[in-house]
Amino acid sequence: MDQLNRAALSIATNLAEGNGRFTTADRMTFFVIARGSVQECVPLLEVARRRAFIPAANHIVLNESLEEMSKMIVGLLTGWKSATDRVRHLCPS
């Protein structure tokens, strides 16, 4: 459970740190790490359910939340990449 707590905390802290970065590359790095932390939570949550640390109903709700978070982070990454590509197109080096 401790590892699950650390992974869950990592989601929020990496999103916050990425948001505080100035360059797109730095931001995207932290957002990718946050998505990785979401993915890390999935099997840890399954282990918690199998060991009866959480009820099956809670597992379903939490798993759905993780899936939604993952989609949101992918949307964030896609949006930043699109914005960066538009700027590169308008201002070629």
Side-chain angles (χ1 to χ4, degrees):
M1 288 299 287
D2 189 46
Q3 189 172 353
L4 179 58
N5 286 332
R6 285 194 308 270
L9 182 60
S10 176
I11 297 166
T13 55
N14 278 293
L15 287 171
E17 189 162 356
N19 195 47
R21 295 297 173 141
F22 291 106
T23 68
T24 300
D26 280 350
R27 283 178 183 258
M28 291 183 73
T29 296
F30 283 97
F31 296 159
V32 167
I33 292 169
R35 185 176 178 280
S37 294
V38 169
Q39 298 306 314
E40 182 182 0
C41 287
V42 173
L44 294 170
L45 194 61
E46 177 63 22
V47 169
R49 183 195 61 79
R50 289 182 184 191
R51 293 185 178 175
F53 294 148
I54 60 170
N58 289 16
H59 174 265
I60 292 168
V61 171
L62 292 170
N63 213 29
E64 289 171 353
S65 295
L66 289 170
E67 186 176 331
E68 184 67 21
M69 280 187 256
S70 183
K71 289 177 184 178
M72 290 167 58
I73 295 170
V74 168
L76 186 61
L77 287 163
T78 302
W80 273 102
K81 185 176 180 334
S82 294
T84 301
D85 290 347
R86 281 192 304 274
V87 169
R88 285 188 186 139
H89 178 72
L90 295 173
C91 306
S93 321

PDB file of all heavy atoms in Angstrom, residues 28-53:
ATOM      1  N   MET A  28       6.526  18.625 -20.698  1.00  0.00           N
ATOM      2  CA  MET A  28       6.095  17.333 -21.226  1.00  0.00           C
ATOM      3  C   MET A  28       6.783  16.179 -20.503  1.00  0.00           C
ATOM      4  O   MET A  28       6.162  15.143 -20.267  1.00  0.00           O
ATOM      5  CB  MET A  28       6.303  17.279 -22.730  1.00  0.00           C
ATOM      6  CG  MET A  28       5.328  18.214 -23.450  1.00  0.00           C
ATOM      7  SD  MET A  28       5.419  18.174 -25.233  1.00  0.00           S
ATOM      8  CE  MET A  28       4.663  16.607 -25.569  1.00  0.00           C
ATOM      9  N   THR A  29       8.034  16.358 -20.122  1.00  0.00           N
ATOM     10  CA  THR A  29       8.745  15.308 -19.384  1.00  0.00           C
ATOM     11  C   THR A  29       8.015  14.981 -18.085  1.00  0.00           C
ATOM     12  O   THR A  29       7.776  13.811 -17.766  1.00  0.00           O
ATOM     13  CB  THR A  29      10.195  15.741 -19.086  1.00  0.00           C
ATOM     14  OG1 THR A  29      10.880  15.896 -20.331  1.00  0.00           O
ATOM     15  CG2 THR A  29      10.911  14.725 -18.228  1.00  0.00           C
ATOM     16  N   PHE A  30       7.632  16.005 -17.342  1.00  0.00           N
ATOM     17  CA  PHE A  30       6.944  15.774 -16.077  1.00  0.00           C
ATOM     18  C   PHE A  30       5.540  15.223 -16.290  1.00  0.00           C
ATOM     19  O   PHE A  30       5.066  14.401 -15.506  1.00  0.00           O
ATOM     20  CB  PHE A  30       6.922  17.048 -15.231  1.00  0.00           C
ATOM     21  CG  PHE A  30       8.246  17.305 -14.568  1.00  0.00           C
ATOM     22  CD1 PHE A  30       9.159  18.172 -15.142  1.00  0.00           C
ATOM     23  CD2 PHE A  30       8.581  16.657 -13.391  1.00  0.00           C
ATOM     24  CE1 PHE A  30      10.389  18.402 -14.541  1.00  0.00           C
ATOM     25  CE2 PHE A  30       9.810  16.880 -12.784  1.00  0.00           C
ATOM     26  CZ  PHE A  30      10.715  17.752 -13.366  1.00  0.00           C
ATOM     27  N   PHE A  31       4.868  15.651 -17.354  1.00  0.00           N
ATOM     28  CA  PHE A  31       3.537  15.112 -17.641  1.00  0.00           C
ATOM     29  C   PHE A  31       3.620  13.637 -18.026  1.00  0.00           C
ATOM     30  O   PHE A  31       2.756  12.844 -17.648  1.00  0.00           O
ATOM     31  CB  PHE A  31       2.850  15.924 -18.735  1.00  0.00           C
ATOM     32  CG  PHE A  31       2.560  17.362 -18.360  1.00  0.00           C
ATOM     33  CD1 PHE A  31       2.355  18.318 -19.341  1.00  0.00           C
ATOM     34  CD2 PHE A  31       2.502  17.772 -17.035  1.00  0.00           C
ATOM     35  CE1 PHE A  31       2.076  19.642 -19.021  1.00  0.00           C
ATOM     36  CE2 PHE A  31       2.232  19.097 -16.689  1.00  0.00           C
ATOM     37  CZ  PHE A  31       2.017  20.028 -17.688  1.00  0.00           C
ATOM     38  N   VAL A  32       4.657  13.261 -18.766  1.00  0.00           N
ATOM     39  CA  VAL A  32       4.859  11.848 -19.121  1.00  0.00           C
ATOM     40  C   VAL A  32       5.134  11.025 -17.858  1.00  0.00           C
ATOM     41  O   VAL A  32       4.615   9.910 -17.704  1.00  0.00           O
ATOM     42  CB  VAL A  32       6.002  11.694 -20.145  1.00  0.00           C
ATOM     43  CG1 VAL A  32       6.441  10.247 -20.289  1.00  0.00           C
ATOM     44  CG2 VAL A  32       5.578  12.256 -21.496  1.00  0.00           C
ATOM     45  N   ILE A  33       5.922  11.567 -16.950  1.00  0.00           N
ATOM     46  CA  ILE A  33       6.198  10.865 -15.687  1.00  0.00           C
ATOM     47  C   ILE A  33       4.901  10.701 -14.894  1.00  0.00           C
ATOM     48  O   ILE A  33       4.651   9.638 -14.318  1.00  0.00           O
ATOM     49  CB  ILE A  33       7.269  11.606 -14.866  1.00  0.00           C
ATOM     50  CG1 ILE A  33       8.620  11.535 -15.578  1.00  0.00           C
ATOM     51  CG2 ILE A  33       7.380  11.016 -13.453  1.00  0.00           C
ATOM     52  CD1 ILE A  33       9.684  12.455 -15.005  1.00  0.00           C
ATOM     53  N   ALA A  34       4.070  11.739 -14.877  1.00  0.00           N
ATOM     54  CA  ALA A  34       2.785  11.647 -14.174  1.00  0.00           C
ATOM     55  C   ALA A  34       1.923  10.548 -14.771  1.00  0.00           C
ATOM     56  O   ALA A  34       1.310   9.756 -14.036  1.00  0.00           O
ATOM     57  CB  ALA A  34       2.047  12.991 -14.239  1.00  0.00           C
ATOM     58  N   ARG A  35       1.894  10.443 -16.094  1.00  0.00           N
ATOM     59  CA  ARG A  35       1.111   9.382 -16.735  1.00  0.00           C
ATOM     60  C   ARG A  35       1.688   8.015 -16.381  1.00  0.00           C
ATOM     61  O   ARG A  35       0.948   7.062 -16.140  1.00  0.00           O
ATOM     62  CB  ARG A  35       1.068   9.556 -18.245  1.00  0.00           C
ATOM     63  CG  ARG A  35       0.149   8.518 -18.883  1.00  0.00           C
ATOM     64  CD  ARG A  35       0.000   8.710 -20.392  1.00  0.00           C
ATOM     65  NE  ARG A  35      -0.849   7.671 -20.921  1.00  0.00           N
ATOM     66  CZ  ARG A  35      -0.449   6.421 -21.192  1.00  0.00           C
ATOM     67  NH1 ARG A  35       0.777   6.053 -20.959  1.00  0.00           N
ATOM     68  NH2 ARG A  35      -1.295   5.535 -21.700  1.00  0.00           N
ATOM     69  N   GLY A  36       3.004   7.924 -16.324  1.00  0.00           N
ATOM     70  CA  GLY A  36       3.631   6.667 -15.906  1.00  0.00           C
ATOM     71  C   GLY A  36       3.231   6.287 -14.491  1.00  0.00           C
ATOM     72  O   GLY A  36       3.002   5.105 -14.189  1.00  0.00           O
ATOM     73  N   SER A  37       3.107   7.265 -13.631  1.00  0.00           N
ATOM     74  CA  SER A  37       2.678   7.002 -12.252  1.00  0.00           C
ATOM     75  C   SER A  37       1.233   6.520 -12.211  1.00  0.00           C
ATOM     76  O   SER A  37       0.885   5.657 -11.402  1.00  0.00           O
ATOM     77  CB  SER A  37       2.856   8.259 -11.394  1.00  0.00           C
ATOM     78  OG  SER A  37       4.230   8.568 -11.269  1.00  0.00           O
ATOM     79  N   VAL A  38       0.395   7.064 -13.093  1.00  0.00           N
ATOM     80  CA  VAL A  38      -0.982   6.570 -13.192  1.00  0.00           C
ATOM     81  C   VAL A  38      -0.952   5.091 -13.579  1.00  0.00           C
ATOM     82  O   VAL A  38      -1.627   4.258 -12.968  1.00  0.00           O
ATOM     83  CB  VAL A  38      -1.804   7.381 -14.224  1.00  0.00           C
ATOM     84  CG1 VAL A  38      -3.135   6.695 -14.506  1.00  0.00           C
ATOM     85  CG2 VAL A  38      -2.022   8.806 -13.749  1.00  0.00           C
ATOM     86  N   GLN A  39      -0.142   4.771 -14.585  1.00  0.00           N
ATOM     87  CA  GLN A  39      -0.066   3.382 -15.045  1.00  0.00           C
ATOM     88  C   GLN A  39       0.514   2.462 -13.967  1.00  0.00           C
ATOM     89  O   GLN A  39       0.140   1.294 -13.869  1.00  0.00           O
ATOM     90  CB  GLN A  39       0.766   3.293 -16.328  1.00  0.00           C
ATOM     91  CG  GLN A  39       0.177   4.063 -17.489  1.00  0.00           C
ATOM     92  CD  GLN A  39      -1.258   3.688 -17.783  1.00  0.00           C
ATOM     93  OE1 GLN A  39      -1.613   2.523 -17.831  1.00  0.00           O
ATOM     94  NE2 GLN A  39      -2.110   4.686 -17.965  1.00  0.00           N
ATOM     95  N   GLU A  40       1.410   2.984 -13.159  1.00  0.00           N
ATOM     96  CA  GLU A  40       1.981   2.208 -12.057  1.00  0.00           C
ATOM     97  C   GLU A  40       0.905   1.872 -11.015  1.00  0.00           C
ATOM     98  O   GLU A  40       0.934   0.801 -10.402  1.00  0.00           O
ATOM     99  CB  GLU A  40       3.108   3.009 -11.397  1.00  0.00           C
ATOM    100  CG  GLU A  40       3.800   2.297 -10.270  1.00  0.00           C
ATOM    101  CD  GLU A  40       4.886   3.136  -9.604  1.00  0.00           C
ATOM    102  OE1 GLU A  40       5.114   4.289 -10.024  1.00  0.00           O
ATOM    103  OE2 GLU A  40       5.497   2.624  -8.657  1.00  0.00           O
ATOM    104  N   CYS A  41      -0.039   2.770 -10.819  1.00  0.00           N
ATOM    105  CA  CYS A  41      -1.094   2.548  -9.826  1.00  0.00           C
ATOM    106  C   CYS A  41      -2.025   1.396 -10.204  1.00  0.00           C
ATOM    107  O   CYS A  41      -2.584   0.741  -9.315  1.00  0.00           O
ATOM    108  CB  CYS A  41      -1.921   3.821  -9.639  1.00  0.00           C
ATOM    109  SG  CYS A  41      -1.081   5.126  -8.724  1.00  0.00           S
ATOM    110  N   VAL A  42      -2.190   1.138 -11.488  1.00  0.00           N
ATOM    111  CA  VAL A  42      -3.157   0.121 -11.930  1.00  0.00           C
ATOM    112  C   VAL A  42      -2.844  -1.261 -11.360  1.00  0.00           C
ATOM    113  O   VAL A  42      -3.704  -1.865 -10.700  1.00  0.00           O
ATOM    114  CB  VAL A  42      -3.277   0.107 -13.472  1.00  0.00           C
ATOM    115  CG1 VAL A  42      -4.143  -1.056 -13.944  1.00  0.00           C
ATOM    116  CG2 VAL A  42      -3.834   1.441 -13.970  1.00  0.00           C
ATOM    117  N   PRO A  43      -1.640  -1.810 -11.551  1.00  0.00           N
ATOM    118  CA  PRO A  43      -1.386  -3.136 -10.978  1.00  0.00           C
ATOM    119  C   PRO A  43      -1.300  -3.119  -9.453  1.00  0.00           C
ATOM    120  O   PRO A  43      -1.661  -4.102  -8.800  1.00  0.00           O
ATOM    121  CB  PRO A  43      -0.060  -3.569 -11.604  1.00  0.00           C
ATOM    122  CG  PRO A  43       0.602  -2.308 -12.019  1.00  0.00           C
ATOM    123  CD  PRO A  43      -0.511  -1.356 -12.356  1.00  0.00           C
ATOM    124  N   LEU A  44      -0.846  -2.008  -8.888  1.00  0.00           N
ATOM    125  CA  LEU A  44      -0.787  -1.914  -7.429  1.00  0.00           C
ATOM    126  C   LEU A  44      -2.187  -1.936  -6.828  1.00  0.00           C
ATOM    127  O   LEU A  44      -2.418  -2.554  -5.781  1.00  0.00           O
ATOM    128  CB  LEU A  44      -0.036  -0.647  -7.011  1.00  0.00           C
ATOM    129  CG  LEU A  44       1.441  -0.607  -7.378  1.00  0.00           C
ATOM    130  CD1 LEU A  44       2.011   0.789  -7.126  1.00  0.00           C
ATOM    131  CD2 LEU A  44       2.215  -1.658  -6.621  1.00  0.00           C
ATOM    132  N   LEU A  45      -3.118  -1.301  -7.510  1.00  0.00           N
ATOM    133  CA  LEU A  45      -4.510  -1.315  -7.075  1.00  0.00           C
ATOM    134  C   LEU A  45      -5.088  -2.732  -7.162  1.00  0.00           C
ATOM    135  O   LEU A  45      -5.826  -3.173  -6.287  1.00  0.00           O
ATOM    136  CB  LEU A  45      -5.314  -0.342  -7.936  1.00  0.00           C
ATOM    137  CG  LEU A  45      -6.694   0.047  -7.477  1.00  0.00           C
ATOM    138  CD1 LEU A  45      -6.639   0.744  -6.122  1.00  0.00           C
ATOM    139  CD2 LEU A  45      -7.342   0.958  -8.504  1.00  0.00           C
ATOM    140  N   GLU A  46      -4.716  -3.441  -8.200  1.00  0.00           N
ATOM    141  CA  GLU A  46      -5.170  -4.824  -8.361  1.00  0.00           C
ATOM    142  C   GLU A  46      -4.627  -5.707  -7.233  1.00  0.00           C
ATOM    143  O   GLU A  46      -5.350  -6.537  -6.675  1.00  0.00           O
ATOM    144  CB  GLU A  46      -4.738  -5.372  -9.723  1.00  0.00           C
ATOM    145  CG  GLU A  46      -5.104  -6.814  -9.966  1.00  0.00           C
ATOM    146  CD  GLU A  46      -6.608  -7.084  -9.973  1.00  0.00           C
ATOM    147  OE1 GLU A  46      -7.402  -6.151 -10.206  1.00  0.00           O
ATOM    148  OE2 GLU A  46      -6.986  -8.243  -9.742  1.00  0.00           O
ATOM    149  N   VAL A  47      -3.376  -5.509  -6.890  1.00  0.00           N
ATOM    150  CA  VAL A  47      -2.793  -6.265  -5.772  1.00  0.00           C
ATOM    151  C   VAL A  47      -3.532  -5.941  -4.478  1.00  0.00           C
ATOM    152  O   VAL A  47      -3.847  -6.836  -3.683  1.00  0.00           O
ATOM    153  CB  VAL A  47      -1.278  -5.966  -5.631  1.00  0.00           C
ATOM    154  CG1 VAL A  47      -0.726  -6.524  -4.339  1.00  0.00           C
ATOM    155  CG2 VAL A  47      -0.514  -6.515  -6.831  1.00  0.00           C
ATOM    156  N   ALA A  48      -3.837  -4.671  -4.270  1.00  0.00           N
ATOM    157  CA  ALA A  48      -4.569  -4.272  -3.063  1.00  0.00           C
ATOM    158  C   ALA A  48      -5.939  -4.946  -3.006  1.00  0.00           C
ATOM    159  O   ALA A  48      -6.380  -5.391  -1.943  1.00  0.00           O
ATOM    160  CB  ALA A  48      -4.724  -2.752  -3.023  1.00  0.00           C
ATOM    161  N   ARG A  49      -6.603  -5.058  -4.156  1.00  0.00           N
ATOM    162  CA  ARG A  49      -7.908  -5.731  -4.193  1.00  0.00           C
ATOM    163  C   ARG A  49      -7.757  -7.219  -3.889  1.00  0.00           C
ATOM    164  O   ARG A  49      -8.489  -7.773  -3.077  1.00  0.00           O
ATOM    165  CB  ARG A  49      -8.571  -5.561  -5.557  1.00  0.00           C
ATOM    166  CG  ARG A  49      -9.982  -6.178  -5.618  1.00  0.00           C
ATOM    167  CD  ARG A  49     -10.489  -6.326  -7.033  1.00  0.00           C
ATOM    168  NE  ARG A  49      -9.675  -7.188  -7.878  1.00  0.00           N
ATOM    169  CZ  ARG A  49      -9.716  -8.536  -7.864  1.00  0.00           C
ATOM    170  NH1 ARG A  49     -10.511  -9.168  -7.031  1.00  0.00           N
ATOM    171  NH2 ARG A  49      -8.959  -9.225  -8.689  1.00  0.00           N
ATOM    172  N   ARG A  50      -6.776  -7.851  -4.520  1.00  0.00           N
ATOM    173  CA  ARG A  50      -6.576  -9.289  -4.317  1.00  0.00           C
ATOM    174  C   ARG A  50      -6.207  -9.628  -2.878  1.00  0.00           C
ATOM    175  O   ARG A  50      -6.532 -10.707  -2.391  1.00  0.00           O
ATOM    176  CB  ARG A  50      -5.507  -9.822  -5.264  1.00  0.00           C
ATOM    177  CG  ARG A  50      -5.965  -9.863  -6.702  1.00  0.00           C
ATOM    178  CD  ARG A  50      -4.928 -10.421  -7.611  1.00  0.00           C
ATOM    179  NE  ARG A  50      -5.366 -10.358  -8.992  1.00  0.00           N
ATOM    180  CZ  ARG A  50      -4.743 -10.961  -9.982  1.00  0.00           C
ATOM    181  NH1 ARG A  50      -3.654 -11.670  -9.756  1.00  0.00           N
ATOM    182  NH2 ARG A  50      -5.204 -10.853 -11.210  1.00  0.00           N
ATOM    183  N   ARG A  51      -5.525  -8.727  -2.222  1.00  0.00           N
ATOM    184  CA  ARG A  51      -5.151  -8.959  -0.817  1.00  0.00           C
ATOM    185  C   ARG A  51      -6.222  -8.449   0.149  1.00  0.00           C
ATOM    186  O   ARG A  51      -5.997  -8.418   1.348  1.00  0.00           O
ATOM    187  CB  ARG A  51      -3.817  -8.286  -0.525  1.00  0.00           C
ATOM    188  CG  ARG A  51      -2.667  -8.939  -1.269  1.00  0.00           C
ATOM    189  CD  ARG A  51      -1.356  -8.355  -0.888  1.00  0.00           C
ATOM    190  NE  ARG A  51      -0.277  -9.042  -1.587  1.00  0.00           N
ATOM    191  CZ  ARG A  51       0.982  -8.686  -1.534  1.00  0.00           C
ATOM    192  NH1 ARG A  51       1.331  -7.637  -0.789  1.00  0.00           N
ATOM    193  NH2 ARG A  51       1.895  -9.354  -2.190  1.00  0.00           N
ATOM    194  N   ALA A  52      -7.339  -8.056  -0.399  1.00  0.00           N
ATOM    195  CA  ALA A  52      -8.492  -7.587   0.378  1.00  0.00           C
ATOM    196  C   ALA A  52      -8.191  -6.327   1.202  1.00  0.00           C
ATOM    197  O   ALA A  52      -8.788  -6.116   2.250  1.00  0.00           O
ATOM    198  CB  ALA A  52      -9.040  -8.706   1.265  1.00  0.00           C
ATOM    199  N   PHE A  53      -7.273  -5.500   0.704  1.00  0.00           N
ATOM    200  CA  PHE A  53      -7.032  -4.208   1.345  1.00  0.00           C
ATOM    201  C   PHE A  53      -8.136  -3.217   0.982  1.00  0.00           C
ATOM    202  O   PHE A  53      -8.402  -2.273   1.728  1.00  0.00           O
ATOM    203  CB  PHE A  53      -5.678  -3.625   0.943  1.00  0.00           C
ATOM    204  CG  PHE A  53      -4.493  -4.414   1.423  1.00  0.00           C
ATOM    205  CD1 PHE A  53      -3.334  -4.461   0.668  1.00  0.00           C
ATOM    206  CD2 PHE A  53      -4.513  -5.104   2.627  1.00  0.00           C
ATOM    207  CE1 PHE A  53      -2.230  -5.173   1.101  1.00  0.00           C
ATOM    208  CE2 PHE A  53      -3.418  -5.824   3.066  1.00  0.00           C
ATOM    209  CZ  PHE A  53      -2.275  -5.857   2.303  1.00  0.00           C
TER     210      PHE A  53
END
